Amino acid sequence: MPYNSVLSGMDFDLSEEHVAVQEASRDFAQNDLLPGVITRDNEQKFDPALIKKMGELGFLGMMVKPEYGGGGMDTLSYVIAMEEISKVDASASVIMSVNNSLVCWGLQIYGNEDQKQKYLVPLATGSVIGAFCLSEPEAGSDATSQHTTAIDAGDHYLLNGTKNWITNGNSSSICLVIAHTHPEKGHKGINAFIVEKGTEGFVVGKKEDKMGIRASDTHTLMFTDVKVSRENRIGDDGFGFKFAMSTLNGGRIGIAAQALGIASGAFELSLKYAQERKTFGKPISEHQAIQFKLSEMATRIEAARLLVYKAARLKDQGKDYIKAAAMAKLYASDVAMWVTTEAVQIHGGYGYVKEYHVERHMRDAKITQIYEGTSEIQKLVIARELLK
Ligand code: CAA
């Protein structure tokens, strides 16, 4: 098969439905998210009323089937919405991304009917939000090294351990927790569980004081003899690592779209600023030094968008998308970091202060090279797919 054969099946024009999603998410971002974005970043707080509105507008369960309370949309719709929302507020988009890709998607694909009725429906409608708990103090990139244990105690499991850097750590009500049941079996002994907040022994720990995506809450979660009923295990015994990896494949498309949005947001601000700001008697957009920056920023963003759309399309077509998702995340996150740094440079001193937004985009961009698999892990995933 020719290396780029999948592109030939791509429809580059957005459908009416996709344009409608783009407009709705752009309106929400401009009207609801933009006004308080600097304050939320400063105060490290996300307004629960905004999460409620995101739920009402259908942004929290976009790919969930309507019978479970979701929007029944495709992955392309989701990435389009992620881009628009990330242009303005990457804290909002990570809350959205974790709920859509890492929590709802996994439950819809691998949960049983009872789990879907009980947990997926409230998550998809946004009446509650979820968290995905894989990372640990000693299990970040090396995700199989889980120290959290879930010991089989008959009709329930006993969960013990600590999870780190958990997005929606405090604001979530439902957590998907990855833990070892049979450490001697390596990754084949790992399980995934649905754990409700408020269960005895489940404590929300330290809130992280982060460089970027500051309005989204990131916490350590601790589990001490937490009883989790057998019905809350997802899939067969030992399916947990596959569950996590499979869920992350899709999650990486969401984060790639977030990176694309951060880059696009910073670019749009730079384009506007360059036409308004004058130096040496003319707008800086008329200086070749700035034109070259704008040209390269736009080109890299277009290339990132193609990779993100391609990964989304492959997923929607039921084709293998592991490599495409990793490539999209690897490339789009680098573009986000580079474009936002150039955006600050174009803005000069103004770019270094919060009022002009681009410094926030630059801080927010960095995490896209780290979470849901670092850039180094994406390269490893791509190489394994190329060499298999
Ligand atoms: N998709 C599906 N299955 C996969 C997979 C993938 N991408 N990667 C591995 N697997 C499967 C393998 O096929 C293998 O299964 P079999 O035994 O049946 O063959 C099994 O998983 C184990 O795979 P490996 O032997 O390759 O495992 P490894 O330990 O060598 O490496 C890894 C795996 C790819 C490095 C993996 O650990 C990884 O992806 N690490 C990064 C973890 C990560 O992304 N963390 C993000 C945290 S979540 C987060 O950030 C959320 C947030 O808050 C925003």
Side-chain angles (χ1 to χ4, degrees):
M1 191 159 93
Y3 192 71
N4 65 350
S5 62
V6 192
L7 271 178
S8 62
M10 279 186 70
D11 177 0
F12 286 89
D13 292 327
L14 295 184
S15 67
E16 270 178 36
E17 289 79 15
H18 291 132
V19 172
V21 169
Q22 193 172 48
E23 286 170 356
S25 41
R26 192 174 289 162
D27 287 350
F28 172 67
Q30 290 299 323
N31 300 333
D32 295 86
L33 293 175
L34 185 59
V37 66
I38 294 173
T39 309
R40 293 194 298 276
D41 178 73
N42 279 338
E43 294 179 353
Q44 303 186 63
K45 273 191 202 142
F46 202 80
D47 182 356
L50 286 173
I51 297 187
K52 189 165 176 282
K53 186 145 192 197
M54 284 167 85
E56 286 164 2
L57 292 171
F59 291 128
L60 294 176
M62 292 186 74
M63 295 171 288
V64 175
K65 291 180 183 158
E67 59 262 42
Y68 298 114
M73 290 182 222
D74 58 10
T75 314
L76 188 57
S77 302
Y78 167 57
V79 301
I80 288 168
M82 278 294 295
E83 179 180 354
E84 291 305 322
I85 288 173
S86 305
K87 277 183 188 176
V88 173
D89 187 348
S91 291
S93 68
V94 72
I95 295 168
M96 174 178 159
S97 178
V98 166
N99 204 67
N100 276 281
S101 323
L102 297 187
V103 182
C104 287
W105 187 84
L107 277 176
Q108 171 158 273
I109 301 295
Y110 299 113
N112 61 35
E113 192 53 33
D114 288 346
Q115 292 168 345
K116 289 184 204 177
Q117 292 298 343
K118 187 168 177 191
Y119 298 111
L120 181 57
V121 171
L123 284 162
T125 52
S127 62
V128 297
I129 59 167
F132 180 80
C133 311
L134 171 68
S135 302
E136 296 188 358
E138 291 173 70
S141 291
D142 184 6
T144 50
S145 291
Q146 296 287 309
H147 289 282
T148 299
T149 52
I151 302 304
D152 192 340
D155 64 342
H156 64 272
Y157 288 85
L158 268 187
L159 196 61
N160 280 283
T162 302
K163 294 289 174 182
N164 269 27
W165 310 294
I166 304 303
T167 303
N168 302 340
N170 191 42
S171 50
S172 56
S173 302
I174 296 165
C175 297
L176 304 188
V177 182
I178 313 298
H180 243 310
T181 300
H182 315 283
E184 72 288 355
K185 292 189 185 168
H187 71 267
K188 290 188 164 57
I190 291 174
N191 278 311
F193 299 93
I194 306 165
V195 187
E196 293 178 39
K197 279 280 179 58
T199 311
E200 201 180 336
F202 182 175
V203 174
V204 177
K206 180 170 83 108
K207 179 177 178 175
E208 301 296 348
D209 184 358
K210 307 190 297 288
M211 171 200 268
I213 54 162
R214 285 170 60 78
S216 73
D217 66 291
T218 307
H219 285 259
T220 298
L221 301 180
M222 280 100 73
F223 304 89
T224 309
D225 290 335
V226 174
K227 272 188 178 179
V228 183
S229 86
R230 184 165 283 274
E231 290 91 72
N232 280 23
R233 190 186 74 209
I234 302 172
D236 293 337
D237 189 22
F239 181 65
F241 192 70
K242 282 285 179 71
F243 171 83
M245 288 299 109
S246 170
T247 303
L248 279 166
N249 291 328
R252 288 166 184 165
I253 302 176
I255 299 304
Q258 180 188 45
L260 172 64
I262 295 170
S264 306
F267 172 72
E268 286 176 11
L269 290 169
S270 303
L271 193 64
K272 185 164 177 283
Y273 178 83
Q275 292 168 85
E276 291 165 355
R277 168 80 169 147
K278 289 192 174 123
T279 60
F280 305 103
K282 56 184 179 185
I284 60 171
S285 60
E286 289 177 26
H287 297 303
Q288 195 182 51
I290 300 298
Q291 289 176 352
F292 278 13
K293 284 189 193 300
L294 293 171
S295 303
E296 202 165 345
M297 289 159 92
T299 306
R300 291 193 198 192
I301 288 169
E302 281 294 323
R305 188 174 291 109
L306 287 177
L307 285 176
V308 176
Y309 279 23
K310 174 179 168 178
R313 270 281 190 243
L314 288 175
K315 183 163 175 279
D316 288 335
Q317 291 167 351
K319 294 180 179 160
D320 186 355
Y321 59 92
I322 296 178
K323 182 173 75 197
M327 284 179 166
K329 182 178 181 294
L330 173 66
Y331 188 73
S333 60
D334 283 352
V335 168
M337 201 62 246
W338 184 82
V339 165
T340 55
T341 308
E342 288 296 79
V344 171
Q345 193 69 19
I346 288 172
H347 282 73
Y350 293 106
Y352 206 66
V353 297
K354 296 196 172 184
E355 194 187 333
Y356 284 76
H357 297 284
V358 286
E359 65 80 35
R360 188 185 69 258
H361 288 311
M362 184 178 162
R363 287 186 285 108
D364 288 346
K366 184 61 203 170
I367 192 62
T368 66
Q369 295 175 316
I370 298 172
Y371 59 19
E372 299 203 23
T374 59
S375 294
E376 291 72 16
I377 289 292
Q378 305 312 319
K379 288 179 194 175
L380 191 148
V381 170
I382 295 163
R384 285 182 183 186
E385 292 294 313
L386 290 172
L387 296 167
K388 77 182 184 190

